[in-house]
């Protein structure tokens, strides 16, 4: 029999990301033993029903005990607490990792709890959907998506290599960078986009009631595109904004400056400035599609997924 | 033989919207004769090849001559010019209509050219994709989408009824309202969303070059959702912002106020305010899905549409 990539793999937190990693590990036989822990007994029960783990427990410490790799997949704000519980149980040579959307904070919160005989190698798979919980996960979530690994200074190369290998085996492409750089890049590729999506949906919700119902009705004009990411998990996103404050405020500042310029162009009827701006942004989408990170199908290919309901008014 | 809904239908402008209406009319036998005009000879040639019109011409006046309904489907800024050419050729009882994304301006621009013996009944199908031109159109574009008809005060009810019937026959649900109200509702459901999408993609494009390439790479974190509508036609959108200035500035002001509040919550670490905001916006998406205006599939159902390309790094 071939030796599995990870003799004993523990995943703490069985939500969208944790359960997707567990499913991928199960399907691709990446772990000799796959242990899943979740603080919520109901989630544990559901994981047992779904059957993608060898062992399920509410006790993160028990899951970590004897594991070669422990992946923490809980909201960023809870990662320090989990590390506190898990750290003392890590065996010599074990690797503690995570999947959090913010990396600088996670290192600060987790590192103090990692014993000298173990390794902390944080990671962030840049893949997800607007759903959460163990039922939302699926084994192919990471296929052809990027996973960013942020080894702390002086990290053991062989430990980094094992985390890189795990994510490659789960289907992802892997990039390494510093936690600080990660947090800046993600502020503009993910955190600020989520913030402005949450914001415009909020603005619409604050309108007079009749207007809000019209926003829902006529949302196919563009608005509905924003509602997808604005329906993501509130706990996860609260934690992201609380823990990546600096980089988010920096990128938000740039966004607002640029928006002010567009607003002026509208106010003063500067059609050339508007045209020039609108013509430049197409190239970015083209590159994203060329790099296989987006579909070229019109409307995200929504029509294939939709089941049209006919209603007459 | 059953009498077609429109004995002679002319469509001026054979882009995404014009060619979609022409295709729907053709498939559903809505017109006795279907005439398509476009100012661009290359577009006319392509329409001939695609074969969805009975007659194709560069001359809008010729197309209008003898037509029962003339639908102008050009960028909003060009609608006055087209009305000037077409107006004098309208036969008694003919209806001039349009599909423009702004209605107040269109009425102002077109009305002076409509003779007393004809009717001006503007309309706006709230449906589209990020593509343009005659190849982008398809017959089912308007299925289960809304079309807003904005009859000017004192419009003849039978003329309004004919335009409503045309859009219903093309698959749309129809709502009528004033041009002014339309422009306010669309500012928040479509125009401001497009503006902020164009803006965030612009902000990303302005970053240092290496950062921009990372934005493209890691766009699956949320950013790519915005690039779809930010790749829409620059001419069309320039015209929208130039012609719906008041309502756009009003809604943009509300958006910015709300964003400032979120920014403060981030700066001062007010997790409760963030959570509360993020938890409220989900209901809006749920309503949009319930009303059949959006798919419930995760990630817009992108995975079904995607053809994953594997690249290793
Ligand atoms: N969603 C995305 O698109 C995405 C993408 C990339 C990375 N991430 C990151 O992945 C992490 C998890 O996100 P997710 O979307 O998978 O979240 P999720 O679906 O909400 O799942 C999180 C799970 O962790 C459990 N949990 C919370 N605190 C815990 C603790 N102290 N000990 C053990 N389990 C605990 C939660 O249980 P309860 O039900 O009791 O809360 C829940 O079952 C976050 O750090 C997020 O930043 C998310
Ligand atoms: N795209 C959407 O999502 C959407 C949705 C609802 C409503 N609308 C509205 O629909 C209208 C058309 O948009 P579209 O997306 O169909 O645009 P499009 O694909 O760019 O097509 C517009 C067509 O009109 C032609 N044209 C321009 N000026 C003309 C003139 N003076 N006489 C005759 N033809 C002329 C253009 O030819 P050239 O190639 O020479 O420019 C082009 O072929 C706009 O008013 C827009 O606001 C658009």
């Amino acid at each position: 029999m071939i030796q599995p990539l990870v003799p004993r793999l523990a995943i703490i937190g069985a939500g969208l990301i944790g359960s997707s990693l567990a499913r991928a590990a199960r399907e691709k036989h990446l772990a000799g033993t796959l242990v899943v822990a979740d603080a919520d007994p109901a989630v544990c029960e559901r994981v047992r029903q779904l059957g993608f783990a060898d062992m399920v427990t509410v006790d993160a410490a028990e899951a970590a005990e004897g594991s070669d790799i422990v992946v923490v997949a809980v909201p960023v704000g809870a990662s320090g607490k989990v590390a506190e519980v898990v750290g003392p149980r890590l065996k010599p040579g074990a690797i503690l990792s995570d999947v959090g959307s913010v990396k600088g904070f996670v290192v600060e919160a987790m590192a103090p709890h990692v014993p000298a005989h173990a390794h902390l190698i944080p990671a962030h798979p840049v893949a997800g959907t607007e759903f959460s919980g163990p039922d939302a996960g699926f084994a192919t979530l990471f296929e052809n998506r990027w996973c960013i690994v942020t080894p702390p200074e002086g990290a053991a190369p062989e430990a980094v290599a094992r985390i890189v290998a795990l994510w490659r085996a789960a289907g992802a492409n892997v990039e390494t960078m510093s936690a600080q750089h990660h947090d800046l890049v993600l502020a503009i590729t993910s955190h600020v986009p989520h913030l402005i999506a949450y914001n415009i949906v909020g603005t619409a919700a604050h309108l007079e009631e009749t207007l809000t119902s019209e926003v829902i009705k006529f949302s196919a004009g563009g608005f509905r595109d924003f509602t997808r990411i604005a329906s993501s998990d509130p706990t996860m996103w609260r934690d992201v904004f609380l823990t990546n404050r600096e980089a988010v405020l920096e990128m938000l500042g740039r966004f607002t400056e640029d928006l002010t310029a567009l607003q002026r162009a509208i106010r003063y009827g500067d059609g050339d400035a508007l045209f020039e701006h609108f013509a430049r942004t197409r190239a970015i989408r083209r590159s994203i599609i060329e790099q296989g990170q987006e579909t070229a199908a019109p409307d995200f290919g929504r029509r294939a997924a939709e089941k049209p309901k006919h209603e007459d008014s």
Side-chain angles (χ1 to χ4, degrees), chain A:
Chain A
M1 214 190 103
I2 315 161
Q3 179 77 356
L5 194 62
V6 188
R8 180 176 156 121
L9 172 65
I11 297 172
I12 318 293
L16 170 69
I17 302 298
S19 80
S20 291
L21 181 60
R23 284 174 169 99
R26 162 62 55 118
E27 262 188 26
K28 297 171 186 227
H29 308 287
L30 307 183
T33 305
L34 178 58
V35 188
V36 167
D38 199 287
D40 185 341
V43 170
C44 289
E45 188 43 42
R46 185 66 189 137
V47 172
R48 273 185 210 105
Q49 286 165 6
L50 291 166
F52 53 69
D54 299 309
M55 190 186 133
V56 187
T57 170
V58 288
D59 183 355
E62 188 193 354
E65 186 97 53
S67 290
D68 301 276
I69 296 180
V70 178
V71 178
V72 177
V74 304
V76 165
S79 52
K81 243 182 308 174
V82 174
E84 193 179 345
V85 170
V86 156
R89 304 295 193 95
L90 292 173
K91 71 176 187 184
I95 302 171
L96 183 62
S97 188
D98 81 317
V99 298
S101 307
V102 176
K103 298 268 65 99
F105 174 87
V106 159
V107 174
E108 265 174 54
M110 294 178 87
H113 306 293
V114 182
H117 64 249
H119 309 277
L120 175 65
I121 312 290
H124 173 210
V126 186
T129 75
E130 64 275 30
F131 293 98
S132 41
D135 284 287
F138 49 100
T140 56
L141 177 62
F142 311 112
E143 291 284 347
N144 201 35
R145 291 290 163 263
W146 288 93
C147 181
I148 301 175
V149 176
T150 62
E153 243 179 278
E158 65 281 9
V160 177
R162 292 189 74 181
I163 292 299
V164 169
L166 175 64
W167 284 104
R168 288 234 167 98
N173 305 318
V174 179
E175 183 80 272
T176 61
M177 62 179 71
S178 72
Q180 201 203 348
H181 188 68
H182 167 278
D183 289 353
L184 190 68
V185 171
L186 270 287
I188 184 74
T189 55
S190 179
H191 307 170
V192 169
H194 275 78
L195 193 72
I196 64 182
Y198 275 120
N199 191 64
I200 184 128
V201 179
T203 301
H206 293 151
L207 297 171
E208 307 81 86
E209 215 173 287
T210 51
L211 259 182
T212 300
S213 76
E214 290 178 304
V215 168
I216 290 164
K217 213 160 169 176
F218 306 123
S219 59
F223 179 80
R224 62 181 177 157
D225 281 23
F226 294 76
T227 61
R228 185 185 80 79
I229 61 182
S231 69
S232 302
D233 187 62
T235 303
M236 167 184 161
W237 284 99
R238 177 201 61 201
D239 285 6
V240 166
F241 292 112
L242 292 178
T243 59
N244 195 25
R245 175 164 53 191
E246 302 285 293
V248 166
L249 290 176
E250 157 68 22
M251 288 300 170
L252 193 54
R254 297 193 191 202
F255 172 83
T256 307
E257 265 174 41
D258 291 346
L259 190 60
T260 304
L262 280 181
Q263 185 169 355
R264 276 180 63 89
I266 292 171
R267 192 178 299 282
Y268 296 110
D270 187 348
D272 292 343
L274 293 173
F275 183 90
E276 206 246 315
H277 186 110
F278 299 164
R280 249 185 330 191
T281 48
R282 282 185 157 176
I284 297 244
R285 185 170 177 82
R286 217 176 301 124
S287 304
I288 294 174
I289 291 169
E290 278 164 16
Q291 296 192 16
Q293 296 300 308
E294 176 62 295
T295 172
D299 246 345
F300 301 115
R302 267 185 186 121
R303 288 196 171 243
E306 250 175 296
K307 290 197 204 75
K309 286 185 276 182
H310 274 270
E311 294 163 303
D312 254 315
S313 72

